DNA sequence: TTGGTTGCAAAACGTTTGCATGTGC
DNA sequence: GCACATGCAAACGTTTTGCAACCAA
């Protein structure tokens, strides 16, 4: 499950992991690219994509598409923090800590014959600020 | 909530709705485009996009992006059928009829101050066929 | 030296848009 | 006739890829 190919040390990969660590929510490639530039650690866009791709295969990073956006977001594969409450006005994302799906998976598995490996849950609404 | 703009009769729109009706799962634009072609009802790709866009605004059709795919899928806005069990091997999609999120939304609303409007749930696994 | 890593430019991909033409009402 | 519907080609934004140079081990 770890390291499906050989990785060499790379400063750029370290920088990107640091950015993903410092932010608590999923980030899009643009944001990471810009953040690197602002830190004077510019990395080419294709390299950002390539690094993220490997980290995803590696299981270090999780790639998700939220809503019907057409761009991917990336976050560290931490424990918990897998679901988000998303404000459709300001796009603020708040982690949902309790995951209520585990029990449901069990009954689904029995009813459908599927061997269930995971799930994705997003909840949408207006945050307190935007809900005037 | 209905008909946010004037729609005129259009054969192409009818054909697309028929295809969405006959299939029980979300379809991508390619599939719809190809299906039309095979029925000798060819419609240009941009027209397919434009028709679907209007049907989405109209609330006749729901647009979703599943997993970390980079293309949208469309399905009729039927009652229920909002969640899917997806086989990560063969991409088979099975509707989940019970929606267990309603109750959770209530407590989330209280805890977060969010005014909750909806949610998205997908469950991933291997279907019986693919789970050898 | 070997093979992963990078930058650049170009291509690929899904989607959107401008414009001229066609068509329902 | 007006406004929506359509086809075509071009543009767009995101992501991927080919290639040559670079660098960790």
């Amino acid at each position: 499950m770890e390291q499906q190919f050989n990785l060499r040390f790379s400063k750029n990969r370290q920088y990107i992991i640091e950015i993903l660590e410092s932010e608590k929510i999923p980030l899009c490639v643009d944001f990471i690219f810009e953040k690197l530039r602002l830190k004077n650690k510019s990395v080419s866009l294709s390299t950002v994509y390539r690094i993220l791709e490997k980290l995803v295969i590696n299981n270090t990073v999780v790639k998700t598409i939220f809503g019907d956006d057409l761009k991917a977001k990336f976050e560290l594969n931490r424990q918990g923090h897998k679901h988000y409450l998303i404000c459709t006005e300001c796009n603020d994302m708040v982690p949902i800590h309790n995951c209520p799906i585990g029990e449901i998976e069990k009954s689904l598995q029995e009813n459908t014959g599927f061997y269930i490996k995971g799930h994705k849950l997003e909840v949408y609404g207006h945050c307190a600020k935007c809900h005037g």
Side-chain angles (χ1 to χ4, degrees), chain A:
Chain A
M1 219 51 171
E2 286 269 306
Q3 204 101 338
Q4 270 108 4
F5 47 84
N6 295 326
L7 284 187
R8 285 190 184 162
F9 176 79
S10 132
K11 277 186 184 170
N12 290 339
R13 193 186 315 121
Q14 278 318 112
Y15 296 150
I16 289 180
I17 290 176
E18 280 165 22
I19 290 172
L20 292 169
E21 267 166 355
S22 69
E23 308 288 330
K24 305 298 183 206
I25 59 170
L27 307 178
C28 63
V29 172
D30 285 10
F31 182 95
I32 296 168
F33 178 76
E34 187 60 15
K35 204 84 178 179
L36 288 163
R37 207 183 57 74
L38 293 175
K39 288 183 166 189
N40 290 322
K41 315 281 188 199
S42 283
V43 175
S44 90
L45 198 53
S46 48
T47 299
V48 177
Y49 275 106
R50 281 197 262 236
I51 289 174
L52 288 169
E53 183 191 15
K54 294 199 172 182
L55 292 174
V56 168
I57 295 175
N58 246 4
N59 255 321
T60 307
V61 161
V62 177
K63 175 181 179 181
T64 317
I65 291 184
F66 291 94
D68 53 6
D69 210 7
L70 283 171
K71 53 206 279 192
K73 290 204 163 73
F74 298 85
E75 65 182 316
L76 284 185
N77 187 14
R78 299 186 165 91
Q79 308 297 56
H81 275 220
K82 279 175 62 184
H83 308 311
Y84 291 91
L85 193 49
I86 302 164
C87 177
T88 54
E89 287 292 317
C90 67
N91 290 314
D92 195 23
M93 298 180 79
V94 176
I96 301 172
H97 296 281
N98 288 347
C99 171
I101 310 295
E103 296 150 33
I104 294 149
E105 287 189 356
K106 215 174 293 175
S107 74
L108 271 177
Q109 188 145 333
E110 287 163 10
N111 295 335
T112 62
F114 265 66
Y115 171 70
I116 292 175
K117 303 184 70 176
H119 61 266
K120 182 170 163 184
L121 171 66
E122 299 159 24
V123 183
Y124 297 94
H126 289 331
C127 71
K129 267 180 299 183
C130 295
H131 183 53

